[in-house]
């Protein structure tokens, strides 16, 4: 990820697009599904959709990777805005864990810390909250799960957390006592101090005896509040040698964002605390990792909080028995131009440790390794001589080829780069050959790490499949050519010819730091235009081959950002509303531009999809129309539209002057409007309480009008909706397990596949869904593959637990375990209810029910179950007065043991 992410990822948020009430986690609530609560005859019908990501693989900053210390192959990753993930060893993929976070709780997709319980590996915790300033209206929370993140419960905190704030790569701030796992500690920002839970994360209170809440801020003068926040308490580490099972660990170390007083210790299980004597000063302690076998606390220091900044750094070793501090830095401080952050110990070979120069942007990051407790070091690459490099590793990015960035750098730079913002670094505690590390764009790893020590090369490759962390600004699905073209922050955008494969390269020539707007000519889909941000260079680009290749246009004077852009219906002209300059139009490919009249700067522009001379604009409640190719605009007499600028609208393909407009803000006009007369008047759709995006897809088999999609609140329910009858009725097509936080940037259907919809998320990449309705299904452009036929006919065990219950419904969690010797490649579990129970929603699986009989099949990510491993799913269901538990479960024709 590039430096722009910290601020660009919140521009839309700060503009007031996000509204909502108090936090309410949607992952595993005790309440019924909203659709089930809708009144009889409501427009809220339901459809079963299969949801996947259009594969990009990565695309964002991964600041934390956590391996469980007691169970092999159990690992988690946290992202700054895209939730948390669990590693799936059988498929070498990551499973998303926080897709259930809803619209009102969008901030809980930012994970500032994560902890995996070393005593009970089924338990995992996430400290969630994206911003500590007013960009996020809600407080943070600690989410807790007893099923490895399949479902969550939430403990609200009385302050905010900052998963996407400065210092987010330090940590981990959340830690579980390895001897008494009901005890957890949480280091907090903003001067809120150290907090503790003694009931497995259900409730939290401040450790008032802790003496120092931190004092470091990246920029105390920042008026936005983003960079001036106190980064607070940044890591907690237990010395497990000072406790016994069932009793709280006696010695605890805590890192604080304070350059003079960075490390504190308690030797009485957190009752009293003191500054560790003799510690170095002048730097921030990014990480603290304890090797209890040798009695060494290793600390990575930087002069800044990261993840972008850091000019000097040191590595220190503290002897816990003697109190001796030793500088073990691999290079002299005068030779550093970076700080240290990534830090890990090989648990199978104590004394072997690794660290990263996280803020070495040029020519590359650096990774250091020591096998003698830091006395001597080797590094991943050296000059041989400058500017040439000799690497100890080889890189294979064939699975994610865009990681080359299309670059052709001069030495000493190389492509692909080893990384940047490398604050997450972990050696697998069970396998010294496996190491993973996070960068600003991906997760890299190796499975032959110990080659390093024998002076033979080891292979680094992406270990990121399933982890999708792009923030999406715009999406288009042309009627021919690629089924999907996207505009993204940080990595620019992609042309997907197959949704199931990673594109070979992001958009280049130019390579925007973020694409802000996309369009194509409706009757000439090979003509595509994009606008975006770039530190220096043009802000607009064109393609004449459906986005496969690009060439830059020329900016009008004053342009500072991409803004919005529209292509005429036949591609003969374009209208552009860039940042820093007024609206402009051209009849060529952007070699010269003329100012448009009659429309204010900053207006959102779109084109009519039939008349190549007609363009539209919207600004501050007024709709504008041009019929001369964008040269002049006239304000429409339409009234009642949203007064602010949180609006997205589109013209319907194939119907001149047919326009749908979504947007607004709480407290004002907010909803979905429709015009059939070129924007001269609009009719507000009844029942649509709020709407933020609108898009069109192929008409239903029995319909003449195209399918309309929106991210909206309809009849009091937030979700992704579809209408096949011009908005008279709506079907919610997502469910509470698939919400993805904020989905207000873009949505579009596919003109070639009925029911298919592409949804832009703010950190979970491009999500697409396919319907189970008649007409849905696969096509040659990368459709949803059917689940593999279940194969397991071997031994199994099932745990069925009712986790919540109310008068006419309940929630349950099911875990099926492979107790046989062979790997399952797909599974299908069946049982029957005795009391008329009916499943209403199910997550982490796909279900059917016929009478009392229920069948649940795996999803695409949890079908591979190794011997001894498990897969889990949850559901809500209706019930009568009784709710008898099923007593028999069958998998592949064989009865399972019920535990």
């Amino acid at each position: 990820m590039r430096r722009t992410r910290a601020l660009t990822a919140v521009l839309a948020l700060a503009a007031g697009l996000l509204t909502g009430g108090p936090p309410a986690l949607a992952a595993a609530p005790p309440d019924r599904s909203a659709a089930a609560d809708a009144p009889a005859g409501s427009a809220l019908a339901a459809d079963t959709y299969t949801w996947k990501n259009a594969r990009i693989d990565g695309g964002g900053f991964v600041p934390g990777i956590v391996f469980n210390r007691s169970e092999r192959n159990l690992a988690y990753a946290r992202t700054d805005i895209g939730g948390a993930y669990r590693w799936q060893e059988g498929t070498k993929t990551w499973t998303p864990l926080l897709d259930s976070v809803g619209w009102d709780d969008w901030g809980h997709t930012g994970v500032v810390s994560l902890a995996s319980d070393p005593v009970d590996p089924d338990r995992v915790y996430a400290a969630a909250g994206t911003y500590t300033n007013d960009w996020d209206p809600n407080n943070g929370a600690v989410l807790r799960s007893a099923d490895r993140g399949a479902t969550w419960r939430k403990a609200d905190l009385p302050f905010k957390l900052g998963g996407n704030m400065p210092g987010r790569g330090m940590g981990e701030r959340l830690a579980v006592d390895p001897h008494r796992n009901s005890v957890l500690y949480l280091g907090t920002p903003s001067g809120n101090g150290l907090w503790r839970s003694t009931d497995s994360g259900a409730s939290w209170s401040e450790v008032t005896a802790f003496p120092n809440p931190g004092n470091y801020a990246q920029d105390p003068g920042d008026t936005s509040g983003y960079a001036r926040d106190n980064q607070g308490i940044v890591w907690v580490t237990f010395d497990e040698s000072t406790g016994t099972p069932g009793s709280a660990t006696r010695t605890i170390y805590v890192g604080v964002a304070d350059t003079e007083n960075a490390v504190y210790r308690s030797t009485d299980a957190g009752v009293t605390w003191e500054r560790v004597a003799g510690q170095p000063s002048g730097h921030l302690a990014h990480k603290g990792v304890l090797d209890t076998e040798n009695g060494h606390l290793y600390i990575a220091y930087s002069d800044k909080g990261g993840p972008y900044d850091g000019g000097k750094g040191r590595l220190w070793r503290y002897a816990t028995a003697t109190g001796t501090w030793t500088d073990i830095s691999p290079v002299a401080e005068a030779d550093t131009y970076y700080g240290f952050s990534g830090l890990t110990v090989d648990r199978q070979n104590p004394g072997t440790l690794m660290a990263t120069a996280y803020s070495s942007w040029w020519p590359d990051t650096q990774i250091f390794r020591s096998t003698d407790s830091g006395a001597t070091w080797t590094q991943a690459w050296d000059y041989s001589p400058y500017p040439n490099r000799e690497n100890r590793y080889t890189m294979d990015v064939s699975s994610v080829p865009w990681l080359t960035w299309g670059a052709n750098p001069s030495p000493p730079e190389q492509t692909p780069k080893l990384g940047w913002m490398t604050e997450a670094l972990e050696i697998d505690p069970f396998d010294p050959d496996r190491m993973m590390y996070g960068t600003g764009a991906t997760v890299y790893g190796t499975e032959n790490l110990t080659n390093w020590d024998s002076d033979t090369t080891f292979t680094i490759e992406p270990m990121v499949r399933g982890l999708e962390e792009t923030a999406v600004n715009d999406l288009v699905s042309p009627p021919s050519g690629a089924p999907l073209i996207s505009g993204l922050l940080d990595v620019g955008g992609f042309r997907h010819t197959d949704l199931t494969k990673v594109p070979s390269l992001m958009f280049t020539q130019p390579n925007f730091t973020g694409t802000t707007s996309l369009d194509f000519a409706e009757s000439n889909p090979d003509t595509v235009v994009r606008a975006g941000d770039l530190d220096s260079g043009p802000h607009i680009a064109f393609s004449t081959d459906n986005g496969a290749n690009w060439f830059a246009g020329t900016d009008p004077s004053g342009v500072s950002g991409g803004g919005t852009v529209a292509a005429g219906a036949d591609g003969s002209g374009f209208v552009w509303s860039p940042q820093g300059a007024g609206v402009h139009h051209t009849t060529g490919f952007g070699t010269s531009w003329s100012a448009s009249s009659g429309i204010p700067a900053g207006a959102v522009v779109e084109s009519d999809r039939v008349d190549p001379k007609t363009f539209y604009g919207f600004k501050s409640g007024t709709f504008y129309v041009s019929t001369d190719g964008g040269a002049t605009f006239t304000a429409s007499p339409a009234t009642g539209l949203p007064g602010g600028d949180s609006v997205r609208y589109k013209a319907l393909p194939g119907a001149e002057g047919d326009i749908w407009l979504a947007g607004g803000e709480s407290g004002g006009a907010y909803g979905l409007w429709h015009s059939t007369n070129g924007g001269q008047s609009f009719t507000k759709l009844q029942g649509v309480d709020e709407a933020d995006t609108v898009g069109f897809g192929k008409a239903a088999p029995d319909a003449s009008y195209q399918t309309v999609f929106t991210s909206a609140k309809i009849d009091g329910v937030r979700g992704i909706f579809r209408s096949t009858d011009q908005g008279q009725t709506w079907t919610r097509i997502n469910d509470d397990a698939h919400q993805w936080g904020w989905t207000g940037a873009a949505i579009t259907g596919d003109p070639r596949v009925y029911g298919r919809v592409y949804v832009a998320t703010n950190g979970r990449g491009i999500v697409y869904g396919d319907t189970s309705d008649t007409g849905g299904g696969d096509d040659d452009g990368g459709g949803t593959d059917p689940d593999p036929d279940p194969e397991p006919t071997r031994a199994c065990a099932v745990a069925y637990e009712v986790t919540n219950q109310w008068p006419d419904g309940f929630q349950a969690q099911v875990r099926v375990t492979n107790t046989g010797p062979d790997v399952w490649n797909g599974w299908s579990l069946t049982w029957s209810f005795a009391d008329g129970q009916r499943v209403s929603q199910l997550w982490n699986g796909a279900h059917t029910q016929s009478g009392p009989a229920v069948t649940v099949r795996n999803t695409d990510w949890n079908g591979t179950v190794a011997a001894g491993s498990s897969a889990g799913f949850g559901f809500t269901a209706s019930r009568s007065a009784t709710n008898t538990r099923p007593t028999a479960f069958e998998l592949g024709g064989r009865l399972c043991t019920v535990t």
Side-chain angles (χ1 to χ4, degrees), residues 398-594:
S398 57
S399 64
V400 190
W402 61 261
L403 285 168
T404 65
W405 238 266
N408 186 27
S410 299
E413 282 194 279
Q414 296 180 350
T415 188
K417 297 189 75 167
L418 191 59
W420 57 92
M421 296 164 59
T422 49
E423 298 210 67
L425 173 73
E426 291 295 330
I427 299 172
D428 186 332
F430 294 91
D431 183 359
D433 265 320
R434 178 156 66 180
M435 176 265 288
M436 296 182 186
Y437 67 98
T439 78
T442 192
V443 176
Y444 278 127
T446 180
E447 293 189 333
N448 58 350
L449 176 61
T450 57
N451 285 7
W452 183 315
D453 304 323
S454 59
D455 287 328
T456 54
T457 58
F458 59 98
T459 301
I460 293 175
E461 58 187 354
M463 290 186 175
V464 74
R465 183 168 182 176
L467 195 158
E468 298 284 348
E469 205 214 344
T470 49
V472 185
N473 276 342
D474 208 355
L475 298 169
V476 296
S477 182
S480 62
L484 180 66
I485 304 174
S486 58
L488 312 175
L489 289 172
D490 300 318
V491 291
F494 294 90
R495 178 180 187 261
H496 272 89
T497 57
D498 186 332
L499 304 174
T500 67
K501 295 180 180 179
V502 178
S504 60
L505 196 62
M506 72 280 285
F507 301 145
T508 59
Q509 298 178 332
N511 189 336
F512 294 148
T513 55
T515 295
T516 57
S517 181
L518 278 170
D519 200 10
F520 66 92
E522 189 67 40
S523 61
N524 183 16
D526 281 348
T527 298
V528 189
V529 62
R530 60 185 168 100
D533 298 327
L534 192 59
D535 294 336
S536 61
H539 295 80
I540 195 161
F542 300 88
S543 171
T544 57
D545 57 7
N546 195 241
N549 297 280
W550 296 85
F551 55 92
T554 302
D555 288 2
S557 177
V559 171
S560 59
T564 58
V565 67
D570 63 359
S572 61
F574 303 86
V575 172
W576 185 21
S577 178
Q579 291 181 355
V583 177
H584 285 70
H585 67 283
T586 184
T587 54
F589 286 112
T591 55
S592 64
W593 295 88
S594 300

Side-chain angles (χ1 to χ4, degrees), residues 312-337:
K312 293 293 178 183
R314 310 304 293 150
L315 294 175
W316 284 81
R317 185 183 69 215
Y318 175 71
T320 59
T322 65
T324 301
W325 288 88
T326 304
D327 186 342
I328 59 168
S329 304
V331 295
E333 184 168 11
D335 293 332
T336 64
Y337 52 91

Side-chain angles (χ1 to χ4, degrees), residues 5 21 34 77 82 103 168 187 237 288 303 327 345 496 601 698 865 885:
R5 181 178 186 82
W103 179 274
R168 59 192 181 274
T237 297
D303 60 344
D327 186 342
V345 168
H496 272 89
K698 184 176 181 179
V865 183
R885 293 163 53 97

Side-chain angles (χ1 to χ4, degrees), residues 240-261:
E240 57 262 43
S241 70
T242 64
T244 56
S247 299
T249 301
R250 304 292 296 174
T251 300
I252 313 163
Y253 293 90
V254 172
V256 179
D258 179 341
T259 58
E260 301 303 312
N261 308 284

